[in-house]
Amino acid sequence: MSLFISLEGGEGSGKSTQAEILCDRLAQQGYRVVRVQEPGTTDLGNHLRSYLKSTNSPLTPEAEVFLFAAARSELVRRIVLPALEQGKVVVADRYADSTTAYQGYGRRVPLRNIRSANDLATAGRWPDITFLLDVPVEIGLNRARVQTSLDDDRDDGQRDKDGSKRAEESDEQRFESAGVGFHKRVRDGYLKLAAREPERWVVLDASMTEDLLAHQVWDRVSRGLEINATELEGMGRLPGF
Ligand code: TYD
């Protein structure tokens, strides 16, 4: 039984942890789950991720739109759509709403251009449920910095010579250079998107504990699965997952 779920939020909102908890729980219950990450998952997506992490020269906002859209086109056509057709549950750690929030609201690329890029990249397939893990910008940025330095400590001693240290430093610089104002625009942008489409979005306060958050995510996902099962039964098809 297919269901498409995405998790969105600013830096340090805990999306990736929640994506992992959700995927484990779905798998335990017998669902076939595919977890994807943006940028990432496909060859092109992984290249884009490494490129963004290692470069020190900022891209123009327009180039970012095209790069994220190109990687998303690959992801949607090669992984997301086939998985949904096979009746799997797809959990996406970021999707097209990230481009609207970051490049549209954050970097001020006109929203009509973002819409066109997203329409083409997604083939019109938007998630059934999108969670916004909303956290005040200062708290999120602090969490993200703590995470970066924890990773730094963990990697000490086994870091290869090819510059992963440099990559982490440039990640840190990315947070700094983007500035708090940028991250506030991203957060406000997300909240506007959620308010505009309340049937798809679920806004959760990401400053609550991991467990509580996971509970609320599961509550909504299990309702989505029930609705899908009922619809399939109504059509005379077995839910068969
Ligand atoms: P990542 O390390 O995955 O950050 P996070 O853990 O917050 O998801 O890096 C993804 C970065 O790319 C993040 O800063 C958001 C940005 N991004 C965009 O600006 N636009 C997009 O369309 C996507 C998918 C990501």
Side-chain angles (χ1 to χ4, degrees):
M1 168 178 19
S2 72
L3 190 68
F4 185 14
I5 302 158
S6 66
L7 292 114
E8 295 284 353
E11 316 296 322
S13 58
K15 287 176 293 82
S16 307
T17 310
Q18 290 302 323
E20 197 176 325
I21 296 173
L22 176 60
C23 288
D24 287 350
R25 191 150 184 188
L26 285 162
Q28 275 163 19
Q29 306 238 345
Y31 292 96
R32 292 178 299 151
V33 189
V34 174
R35 180 176 167 190
V36 300
Q37 177 188 33
E38 280 210 40
T41 309
T42 64
D43 261 8
L44 181 60
N46 287 328
H47 270 91
L48 176 58
R49 171 167 285 269
S50 337
Y51 174 77
L52 291 172
K53 291 220 173 235
S54 62
T55 185
N56 281 321
S57 38
L59 291 167
T60 59
E62 293 75 13
E64 286 183 1
V65 172
F66 286 119
L67 287 172
F68 285 118
R72 183 167 307 126
S73 306
E74 285 286 292
L75 182 75
V76 167
R77 286 158 181 88
R78 294 190 191 283
I79 297 176
V80 174
L81 293 180
L84 292 172
E85 268 155 32
Q86 290 160 21
K88 295 180 181 165
V89 179
V90 175
V91 176
D93 185 347
R94 294 197 182 282
Y95 191 58
D97 296 300
S98 281
T99 308
T100 314
Y102 279 79
Q103 281 65 50
Y105 287 100
R107 305 207 64 188
R108 300 191 167 114
V109 175
L111 292 179
R112 65 189 147 77
N113 295 134
I114 305 273
R115 254 192 307 273
S116 303
N118 276 343
D119 280 348
L120 186 60
T122 59
R125 185 57 164 105
W126 287 83
D128 302 303
I129 307 170
T130 297
F131 291 101
L132 171 57
L133 303 194
D134 180 52
V135 67
V137 166
E138 286 81 0
I139 296 176
L141 288 178
N142 267 334
R143 278 192 194 168
R145 281 197 198 101
V146 170
Q147 189 56 48
T148 307
S149 65
L150 280 178
D151 292 347
D152 216 22
D153 291 347
R154 215 172 14 243
D155 292 349
D156 258 355
Q158 51 175 325
R159 180 174 294 134
D160 53 14
K161 295 188 204 90
D162 73 354
S164 25
K165 170 75 178 159
R166 207 173 50 236
E168 280 157 10
E169 277 167 0
S170 100
D171 218 25
E172 181 82 8
Q173 280 159 10
R174 205 152 49 89
F175 293 138
E176 298 295 344
S177 64
V180 171
F182 165 82
H183 290 288
K184 285 197 166 145
R185 289 199 298 281
V186 170
R187 182 186 184 206
D188 290 348
Y190 270 132
L191 289 168
K192 278 187 195 145
L193 289 176
R196 212 169 290 152
E197 239 187 307
E199 59 296 338
R200 171 163 73 95
W201 288 81
V202 181
V203 182
L204 297 175
D205 173 2
S207 51
M208 71 179 104
T209 66
E210 222 167 84
D211 284 355
L212 264 177
L213 210 48
H215 185 78
Q216 299 209 358
V217 168
W218 183 250
D219 192 52
R220 178 65 187 84
V221 168
S222 50
R223 264 188 293 133
L225 291 166
E226 269 166 35
I227 292 167
N228 272 10
T230 314
E231 278 173 6
L232 284 173
E233 275 163 27
M235 288 169 7
R237 283 166 57 190
L238 289 173
F241 52 83

